[in-house]
Amino acid sequence: MPQKKQPPTVRLRRLAAELRRLRSGADLSREDVAEQTGINTTTLYRIETARARPQKRTLMSLVALYEAPAEQRDYLVALLRDAGQQGWLRPYHSDLPEEYTAYISFEDEALGVRNYETSFIPGLLQDEDYARAVIRGVLPTATEGEVEDRVRARIQRQGVLTKSKPLRFWAVVDEAALRRVVGGSRVMQQQLRHLVEVTKAPNITVQVIPFGAGAHPGMPGQFILVEFEDPMDMDLVYIDSMAGDLFLESDAEIRRYRSIFDNLVAVALSPNDSAALIAEIAQERARKGG
């Protein structure tokens, strides 16, 4: 069985971006570089798109060709040295999709995450029973072992919210996600109570778009905008859809999704009013015998 490749890290993405910038600044095409260094164009493409980690001698050949100053060469060598460091280890998550494990790595290294959800409570705010019910519902053919692997991964991910420098998490959720009864009334009531509690953390903001807001820019589907502290680290958008997982990284795409999120914030209830609505829906569930 082929070995599962490591997902890219923020450092590897940064190294790739720097090498692209240096080549562009030297006014060289990939074909020019291949001719002058012997590094084939396919290998160079994979290095510049963070699909492959270059060997040190390859990196040194490139920075010499690009005439990078000594200080920058040292910086790139340090990036290469640390490029394989994952945000957290997943010894029992080897069967998770590569795109998802890549997202987990980026999430752990992020400064902030903005998450819009249409149908679910955001993964970082789910309790264990709700997460299990969601995963079973979305993946009806998954084995119990596969379900439990994903539940453990989801719960372990939530450590980013309580680590020494916690992730800044801002979620906008459609009211439909709060009213859909996932896992039964008791599980849903418990999840809503959990959501009320986690919204009290200073690094977590939750806003709800009520049904009364009508049509809004988020109706086509959910997305996650990941933001990094170092300006050298490119922000990215992660979309989990029926067609597969997708990462978007271009400036135009990041601006578009940031604008969409800002619009969603504008039509959503304030954080305080959102917390009140969540508590009200939880009480409704309790009155119905949840």
Side-chain angles (χ1 to χ4, degrees):
M1 183 175 179
Q3 185 176 4
K4 189 179 181 71
K5 66 181 181 182
Q6 288 278 8
T9 64
V10 169
R11 297 170 187 85
L12 187 59
R13 291 173 66 235
R14 191 189 308 173
L15 176 61
E18 281 295 288
L19 290 174
R20 290 197 306 271
R21 188 183 64 79
L22 284 171
R23 179 172 61 78
S24 177
D27 197 24
L28 295 169
S29 67
R30 289 196 183 101
E31 290 73 18
D32 294 331
V33 174
E35 184 178 341
Q36 296 185 49
T37 65
I39 302 168
N40 70 57
T41 55
T42 300
T43 298
L44 186 59
Y45 170 78
R46 289 176 56 78
I47 290 171
E48 290 188 347
T49 55
R51 287 169 169 79
R53 181 181 176 184
Q55 295 182 348
K56 185 175 180 180
R57 65 173 179 272
T58 301
L59 175 62
M60 299 311 293
S61 295
L62 292 173
V63 296
L65 176 62
Y66 302 151
E67 299 182 351
E71 183 178 346
Q72 188 170 29
R73 286 200 303 270
D74 292 343
Y75 169 69
L76 295 177
V77 168
L79 280 181
L80 177 62
R81 182 186 65 236
D82 298 334
Q85 294 181 8
Q86 295 294 315
W88 53 282
L89 299 177
R90 300 173 298 280
Y92 47 79
H93 301 328
S94 60
D95 292 328
L96 295 179
E98 290 177 5
E99 292 84 357
Y100 184 44
T101 57
Y103 171 72
I104 290 172
S105 180
F106 294 146
E107 181 182 72
D108 187 73
E109 299 181 65
L111 173 68
V113 164
R114 303 184 190 192
N115 186 185
Y116 168 66
E117 290 290 346
T118 60
S119 303
F120 309 116
I121 306 300
L124 287 180
L125 306 182
Q126 294 178 8
D127 73 5
E128 186 170 333
D129 289 340
Y130 179 91
R132 185 172 290 108
V134 165
I135 292 165
R136 282 176 177 158
V138 172
L139 300 173
T141 62
T143 66
E144 280 302 305
E146 289 168 342
V147 169
E148 290 307 314
D149 262 5
R150 286 177 178 259
V151 171
R152 285 195 295 267
R154 188 159 300 182
I155 299 305
Q156 188 174 352
R157 277 175 54 204
Q158 296 173 5
V160 298
L161 298 173
T162 55
K163 62 184 181 180
S164 58
K165 189 173 183 180
L167 180 77
R168 300 174 190 170
F169 186 65
W170 191 349
V172 176
V173 182
D174 195 282
E175 185 176 346
L178 306 178
R179 295 195 178 275
R180 182 177 299 280
V181 182
V182 173
S185 190
R186 182 194 62 79
V187 169
M188 196 64 207
Q189 183 185 344
Q190 179 179 293
Q191 171 61 66
L192 292 171
R193 288 174 174 167
H194 175 72
L195 190 56
V196 170
E197 287 303 311
V198 296
T199 58
K200 296 176 183 178
N203 60 307
I204 299 174
T205 301
V206 175
Q207 291 182 255
V208 178
I209 299 179
F211 287 147
H216 57 76
M219 292 179 73
Q222 71 272 13
F223 63 90
I224 299 174
L225 175 61
V226 185
E227 302 168 314
F228 300 97
E229 183 170 19
D230 194 318
M232 293 292 291
D233 297 332
M234 301 172 290
D235 294 344
L236 59 86
V237 170
Y238 174 66
I239 299 173
D240 178 7
S241 73
M242 294 286 285
D245 295 358
L246 178 66
F247 287 105
L248 305 176
E249 302 181 69
S250 75
D251 289 342
E253 289 165 334
I254 299 302
R255 285 196 302 270
R256 183 165 76 89
Y257 277 91
R258 189 173 284 125
S259 176
I260 291 172
F261 194 86
D262 289 344
N263 275 275
L264 295 173
V265 166
V267 300
L269 298 174
S270 70
N272 286 340
D273 288 344
S274 295
L277 178 59
I278 296 167
E280 179 184 325
I281 296 173
Q283 290 170 0
E284 287 177 10
R285 293 243 56 84
R287 287 196 297 270
K288 290 178 181 178

PDB file of all heavy atoms in Angstrom, residues 89-112:
ATOM      1  N   LEU A  89       0.197  15.947  15.771  1.00  0.00           N
ATOM      2  CA  LEU A  89       0.342  14.592  15.257  1.00  0.00           C
ATOM      3  C   LEU A  89      -1.001  13.872  15.280  1.00  0.00           C
ATOM      4  O   LEU A  89      -1.813  14.071  16.180  1.00  0.00           O
ATOM      5  CB  LEU A  89       1.361  13.819  16.102  1.00  0.00           C
ATOM      6  CG  LEU A  89       2.768  14.416  16.101  1.00  0.00           C
ATOM      7  CD1 LEU A  89       3.662  13.598  17.030  1.00  0.00           C
ATOM      8  CD2 LEU A  89       3.352  14.455  14.699  1.00  0.00           C
ATOM      9  N   ARG A  90      -1.216  13.011  14.302  1.00  0.00           N
ATOM     10  CA  ARG A  90      -2.481  12.304  14.184  1.00  0.00           C
ATOM     11  C   ARG A  90      -2.205  10.801  14.036  1.00  0.00           C
ATOM     12  O   ARG A  90      -2.391  10.237  12.951  1.00  0.00           O
ATOM     13  CB  ARG A  90      -3.270  12.820  12.983  1.00  0.00           C
ATOM     14  CG  ARG A  90      -3.592  14.300  13.088  1.00  0.00           C
ATOM     15  CD  ARG A  90      -4.217  14.819  11.818  1.00  0.00           C
ATOM     16  NE  ARG A  90      -3.309  14.697  10.686  1.00  0.00           N
ATOM     17  CZ  ARG A  90      -2.318  15.539  10.429  1.00  0.00           C
ATOM     18  NH1 ARG A  90      -2.120  16.578  11.211  1.00  0.00           N
ATOM     19  NH2 ARG A  90      -1.535  15.371   9.385  1.00  0.00           N
ATOM     20  N   PRO A  91      -1.720  10.140  15.080  1.00  0.00           N
ATOM     21  CA  PRO A  91      -1.316   8.735  14.938  1.00  0.00           C
ATOM     22  C   PRO A  91      -2.447   7.815  14.524  1.00  0.00           C
ATOM     23  O   PRO A  91      -2.210   6.779  13.925  1.00  0.00           O
ATOM     24  CB  PRO A  91      -0.807   8.376  16.345  1.00  0.00           C
ATOM     25  CG  PRO A  91      -1.464   9.360  17.258  1.00  0.00           C
ATOM     26  CD  PRO A  91      -1.567  10.629  16.461  1.00  0.00           C
ATOM     27  N   TYR A  92      -3.703   8.150  14.845  1.00  0.00           N
ATOM     28  CA  TYR A  92      -4.801   7.261  14.462  1.00  0.00           C
ATOM     29  C   TYR A  92      -5.692   7.884  13.397  1.00  0.00           C
ATOM     30  O   TYR A  92      -6.834   7.489  13.225  1.00  0.00           O
ATOM     31  CB  TYR A  92      -5.638   6.885  15.697  1.00  0.00           C
ATOM     32  CG  TYR A  92      -6.021   8.043  16.583  1.00  0.00           C
ATOM     33  CD1 TYR A  92      -7.076   8.884  16.246  1.00  0.00           C
ATOM     34  CD2 TYR A  92      -5.317   8.296  17.755  1.00  0.00           C
ATOM     35  CE1 TYR A  92      -7.426   9.942  17.070  1.00  0.00           C
ATOM     36  CE2 TYR A  92      -5.667   9.353  18.570  1.00  0.00           C
ATOM     37  CZ  TYR A  92      -6.711  10.168  18.227  1.00  0.00           C
ATOM     38  OH  TYR A  92      -7.058  11.222  19.024  1.00  0.00           O
ATOM     39  N   HIS A  93      -5.166   8.902  12.679  1.00  0.00           N
ATOM     40  CA  HIS A  93      -5.971   9.559  11.647  1.00  0.00           C
ATOM     41  C   HIS A  93      -5.402   9.333  10.252  1.00  0.00           C
ATOM     42  O   HIS A  93      -5.624  10.122   9.340  1.00  0.00           O
ATOM     43  CB  HIS A  93      -6.069  11.062  11.914  1.00  0.00           C
ATOM     44  CG  HIS A  93      -6.675  11.402  13.239  1.00  0.00           C
ATOM     45  ND1 HIS A  93      -7.644  10.630  13.832  1.00  0.00           N
ATOM     46  CD2 HIS A  93      -6.455  12.438  14.078  1.00  0.00           C
ATOM     47  CE1 HIS A  93      -7.996  11.172  14.992  1.00  0.00           C
ATOM     48  NE2 HIS A  93      -7.289  12.252  15.162  1.00  0.00           N
ATOM     49  N   SER A  94      -4.681   8.244  10.063  1.00  0.00           N
ATOM     50  CA  SER A  94      -4.010   8.032   8.784  1.00  0.00           C
ATOM     51  C   SER A  94      -4.984   7.819   7.632  1.00  0.00           C
ATOM     52  O   SER A  94      -4.612   7.972   6.475  1.00  0.00           O
ATOM     53  CB  SER A  94      -3.072   6.826   8.886  1.00  0.00           C
ATOM     54  OG  SER A  94      -3.803   5.655   9.217  1.00  0.00           O
ATOM     55  N   ASP A  95      -6.225   7.469   7.941  1.00  0.00           N
ATOM     56  CA  ASP A  95      -7.190   7.201   6.878  1.00  0.00           C
ATOM     57  C   ASP A  95      -8.062   8.400   6.543  1.00  0.00           C
ATOM     58  O   ASP A  95      -8.942   8.303   5.690  1.00  0.00           O
ATOM     59  CB  ASP A  95      -8.092   6.019   7.267  1.00  0.00           C
ATOM     60  CG  ASP A  95      -7.309   4.713   7.319  1.00  0.00           C
ATOM     61  OD1 ASP A  95      -6.350   4.579   6.544  1.00  0.00           O
ATOM     62  OD2 ASP A  95      -7.670   3.851   8.129  1.00  0.00           O
ATOM     63  N   LEU A  96      -7.833   9.526   7.178  1.00  0.00           N
ATOM     64  CA  LEU A  96      -8.608  10.718   6.844  1.00  0.00           C
ATOM     65  C   LEU A  96      -8.168  11.251   5.482  1.00  0.00           C
ATOM     66  O   LEU A  96      -7.013  11.103   5.091  1.00  0.00           O
ATOM     67  CB  LEU A  96      -8.405  11.810   7.911  1.00  0.00           C
ATOM     68  CG  LEU A  96      -8.934  11.494   9.307  1.00  0.00           C
ATOM     69  CD1 LEU A  96      -8.632  12.651  10.248  1.00  0.00           C
ATOM     70  CD2 LEU A  96     -10.425  11.212   9.283  1.00  0.00           C
ATOM     71  N   PRO A  97      -9.067  11.902   4.750  1.00  0.00           N
ATOM     72  CA  PRO A  97      -8.704  12.452   3.432  1.00  0.00           C
ATOM     73  C   PRO A  97      -7.545  13.434   3.534  1.00  0.00           C
ATOM     74  O   PRO A  97      -7.426  14.184   4.518  1.00  0.00           O
ATOM     75  CB  PRO A  97      -9.987  13.160   2.986  1.00  0.00           C
ATOM     76  CG  PRO A  97     -11.086  12.511   3.761  1.00  0.00           C
ATOM     77  CD  PRO A  97     -10.484  12.137   5.080  1.00  0.00           C
ATOM     78  N   GLU A  98      -6.683  13.452   2.525  1.00  0.00           N
ATOM     79  CA  GLU A  98      -5.507  14.309   2.546  1.00  0.00           C
ATOM     80  C   GLU A  98      -5.887  15.783   2.675  1.00  0.00           C
ATOM     81  O   GLU A  98      -5.228  16.561   3.371  1.00  0.00           O
ATOM     82  CB  GLU A  98      -4.670  14.090   1.285  1.00  0.00           C
ATOM     83  CG  GLU A  98      -3.974  12.739   1.264  1.00  0.00           C
ATOM     84  CD  GLU A  98      -3.201  12.498  -0.023  1.00  0.00           C
ATOM     85  OE1 GLU A  98      -3.142  13.419  -0.851  1.00  0.00           O
ATOM     86  OE2 GLU A  98      -2.673  11.391  -0.189  1.00  0.00           O
ATOM     87  N   GLU A  99      -6.956  16.205   1.968  1.00  0.00           N
ATOM     88  CA  GLU A  99      -7.350  17.603   2.031  1.00  0.00           C
ATOM     89  C   GLU A  99      -7.762  17.994   3.448  1.00  0.00           C
ATOM     90  O   GLU A  99      -7.469  19.096   3.915  1.00  0.00           O
ATOM     91  CB  GLU A  99      -8.500  17.882   1.054  1.00  0.00           C
ATOM     92  CG  GLU A  99      -8.117  17.773  -0.410  1.00  0.00           C
ATOM     93  CD  GLU A  99      -8.183  16.340  -0.911  1.00  0.00           C
ATOM     94  OE1 GLU A  99      -8.465  15.427  -0.099  1.00  0.00           O
ATOM     95  OE2 GLU A  99      -7.943  16.118  -2.112  1.00  0.00           O
ATOM     96  N   TYR A 100      -8.434  17.070   4.132  1.00  0.00           N
ATOM     97  CA  TYR A 100      -8.879  17.359   5.492  1.00  0.00           C
ATOM     98  C   TYR A 100      -7.695  17.433   6.447  1.00  0.00           C
ATOM     99  O   TYR A 100      -7.634  18.325   7.303  1.00  0.00           O
ATOM    100  CB  TYR A 100      -9.874  16.288   5.936  1.00  0.00           C
ATOM    101  CG  TYR A 100     -10.483  16.517   7.298  1.00  0.00           C
ATOM    102  CD1 TYR A 100     -10.933  17.779   7.689  1.00  0.00           C
ATOM    103  CD2 TYR A 100     -10.623  15.476   8.210  1.00  0.00           C
ATOM    104  CE1 TYR A 100     -11.498  17.982   8.936  1.00  0.00           C
ATOM    105  CE2 TYR A 100     -11.185  15.666   9.457  1.00  0.00           C
ATOM    106  CZ  TYR A 100     -11.617  16.916   9.814  1.00  0.00           C
ATOM    107  OH  TYR A 100     -12.168  17.128  11.052  1.00  0.00           O
ATOM    108  N   THR A 101      -6.738  16.512   6.331  1.00  0.00           N
ATOM    109  CA  THR A 101      -5.567  16.574   7.203  1.00  0.00           C
ATOM    110  C   THR A 101      -4.744  17.822   6.910  1.00  0.00           C
ATOM    111  O   THR A 101      -4.151  18.411   7.815  1.00  0.00           O
ATOM    112  CB  THR A 101      -4.689  15.320   7.055  1.00  0.00           C
ATOM    113  OG1 THR A 101      -4.294  15.151   5.696  1.00  0.00           O
ATOM    114  CG2 THR A 101      -5.421  14.080   7.511  1.00  0.00           C
ATOM    115  N   ALA A 102      -4.699  18.255   5.646  1.00  0.00           N
ATOM    116  CA  ALA A 102      -4.011  19.504   5.316  1.00  0.00           C
ATOM    117  C   ALA A 102      -4.706  20.675   6.002  1.00  0.00           C
ATOM    118  O   ALA A 102      -4.063  21.547   6.599  1.00  0.00           O
ATOM    119  CB  ALA A 102      -3.980  19.720   3.805  1.00  0.00           C
ATOM    120  N   TYR A 103      -6.048  20.680   5.951  1.00  0.00           N
ATOM    121  CA  TYR A 103      -6.786  21.765   6.599  1.00  0.00           C
ATOM    122  C   TYR A 103      -6.516  21.783   8.102  1.00  0.00           C
ATOM    123  O   TYR A 103      -6.306  22.838   8.702  1.00  0.00           O
ATOM    124  CB  TYR A 103      -8.296  21.646   6.358  1.00  0.00           C
ATOM    125  CG  TYR A 103      -9.030  22.634   7.216  1.00  0.00           C
ATOM    126  CD1 TYR A 103      -8.983  23.994   6.915  1.00  0.00           C
ATOM    127  CD2 TYR A 103      -9.659  22.239   8.396  1.00  0.00           C
ATOM    128  CE1 TYR A 103      -9.579  24.923   7.749  1.00  0.00           C
ATOM    129  CE2 TYR A 103     -10.249  23.160   9.232  1.00  0.00           C
ATOM    130  CZ  TYR A 103     -10.207  24.507   8.900  1.00  0.00           C
ATOM    131  OH  TYR A 103     -10.770  25.424   9.733  1.00  0.00           O
ATOM    132  N   ILE A 104      -6.495  20.607   8.734  1.00  0.00           N
ATOM    133  CA  ILE A 104      -6.231  20.520  10.172  1.00  0.00           C
ATOM    134  C   ILE A 104      -4.879  21.142  10.505  1.00  0.00           C
ATOM    135  O   ILE A 104      -4.729  21.877  11.487  1.00  0.00           O
ATOM    136  CB  ILE A 104      -6.287  19.054  10.634  1.00  0.00           C
ATOM    137  CG1 ILE A 104      -7.720  18.534  10.597  1.00  0.00           C
ATOM    138  CG2 ILE A 104      -5.721  18.902  12.047  1.00  0.00           C
ATOM    139  CD1 ILE A 104      -7.848  17.046  10.850  1.00  0.00           C
ATOM    140  N   SER A 105      -3.882  20.860   9.672  1.00  0.00           N
ATOM    141  CA  SER A 105      -2.547  21.410   9.896  1.00  0.00           C
ATOM    142  C   SER A 105      -2.560  22.932   9.800  1.00  0.00           C
ATOM    143  O   SER A 105      -1.985  23.633  10.635  1.00  0.00           O
ATOM    144  CB  SER A 105      -1.560  20.827   8.883  1.00  0.00           C
ATOM    145  OG  SER A 105      -0.269  21.340   9.076  1.00  0.00           O
ATOM    146  N   PHE A 106      -3.235  23.459   8.772  1.00  0.00           N
ATOM    147  CA  PHE A 106      -3.318  24.911   8.608  1.00  0.00           C
ATOM    148  C   PHE A 106      -4.075  25.548   9.773  1.00  0.00           C
ATOM    149  O   PHE A 106      -3.683  26.603  10.281  1.00  0.00           O
ATOM    150  CB  PHE A 106      -4.026  25.256   7.300  1.00  0.00           C
ATOM    151  CG  PHE A 106      -3.261  24.850   6.063  1.00  0.00           C
ATOM    152  CD1 PHE A 106      -3.939  24.438   4.923  1.00  0.00           C
ATOM    153  CD2 PHE A 106      -1.872  24.873   6.024  1.00  0.00           C
ATOM    154  CE1 PHE A 106      -3.256  24.066   3.781  1.00  0.00           C
ATOM    155  CE2 PHE A 106      -1.175  24.504   4.890  1.00  0.00           C
ATOM    156  CZ  PHE A 106      -1.864  24.094   3.761  1.00  0.00           C
ATOM    157  N   GLU A 107      -5.158  24.920  10.191  1.00  0.00           N
ATOM    158  CA  GLU A 107      -5.977  25.448  11.281  1.00  0.00           C
ATOM    159  C   GLU A 107      -5.165  25.581  12.558  1.00  0.00           C
ATOM    160  O   GLU A 107      -5.279  26.573  13.289  1.00  0.00           O
ATOM    161  CB  GLU A 107      -7.168  24.514  11.501  1.00  0.00           C
ATOM    162  CG  GLU A 107      -8.131  24.935  12.587  1.00  0.00           C
ATOM    163  CD  GLU A 107      -9.241  23.914  12.751  1.00  0.00           C
ATOM    164  OE1 GLU A 107      -8.982  22.806  13.286  1.00  0.00           O
ATOM    165  OE2 GLU A 107     -10.375  24.210  12.336  1.00  0.00           O
ATOM    166  N   ASP A 108      -4.303  24.596  12.819  1.00  0.00           N
ATOM    167  CA  ASP A 108      -3.506  24.612  14.043  1.00  0.00           C
ATOM    168  C   ASP A 108      -2.483  25.740  14.039  1.00  0.00           C
ATOM    169  O   ASP A 108      -2.113  26.256  15.085  1.00  0.00           O
ATOM    170  CB  ASP A 108      -2.799  23.271  14.220  1.00  0.00           C
ATOM    171  CG  ASP A 108      -2.101  23.176  15.564  1.00  0.00           C
ATOM    172  OD1 ASP A 108      -2.795  23.023  16.576  1.00  0.00           O
ATOM    173  OD2 ASP A 108      -0.863  23.280  15.599  1.00  0.00           O
ATOM    174  N   GLU A 109      -2.027  26.136  12.856  1.00  0.00           N
ATOM    175  CA  GLU A 109      -1.013  27.183  12.753  1.00  0.00           C
ATOM    176  C   GLU A 109      -1.609  28.566  12.521  1.00  0.00           C
ATOM    177  O   GLU A 109      -0.879  29.551  12.439  1.00  0.00           O
ATOM    178  CB  GLU A 109      -0.045  26.833  11.620  1.00  0.00           C
ATOM    179  CG  GLU A 109       0.705  25.523  11.842  1.00  0.00           C
ATOM    180  CD  GLU A 109       1.678  25.232  10.715  1.00  0.00           C
ATOM    181  OE1 GLU A 109       2.633  25.997  10.545  1.00  0.00           O
ATOM    182  OE2 GLU A 109       1.475  24.234  10.008  1.00  0.00           O
ATOM    183  N   ALA A 110      -2.934  28.652  12.419  1.00  0.00           N
ATOM    184  CA  ALA A 110      -3.592  29.909  12.072  1.00  0.00           C
ATOM    185  C   ALA A 110      -3.696  30.853  13.269  1.00  0.00           C
ATOM    186  O   ALA A 110      -3.700  30.436  14.424  1.00  0.00           O
ATOM    187  CB  ALA A 110      -4.981  29.632  11.521  1.00  0.00           C
ATOM    188  N   LEU A 111      -3.800  32.141  12.946  1.00  0.00           N
ATOM    189  CA  LEU A 111      -4.107  33.151  13.954  1.00  0.00           C
ATOM    190  C   LEU A 111      -5.610  33.221  14.165  1.00  0.00           C
ATOM    191  O   LEU A 111      -6.097  33.322  15.293  1.00  0.00           O
ATOM    192  CB  LEU A 111      -3.586  34.518  13.496  1.00  0.00           C
ATOM    193  CG  LEU A 111      -3.970  35.720  14.363  1.00  0.00           C
ATOM    194  CD1 LEU A 111      -3.283  35.633  15.719  1.00  0.00           C
ATOM    195  CD2 LEU A 111      -3.613  37.024  13.659  1.00  0.00           C
ATOM    196  N   GLY A 112      -6.353  33.175  13.059  1.00  0.00           N
ATOM    197  CA  GLY A 112      -7.806  33.282  13.140  1.00  0.00           C
ATOM    198  C   GLY A 112      -8.495  32.465  12.071  1.00  0.00           C
ATOM    199  O   GLY A 112      -7.925  32.200  11.011  1.00  0.00           O
TER     200      GLY A 112
END
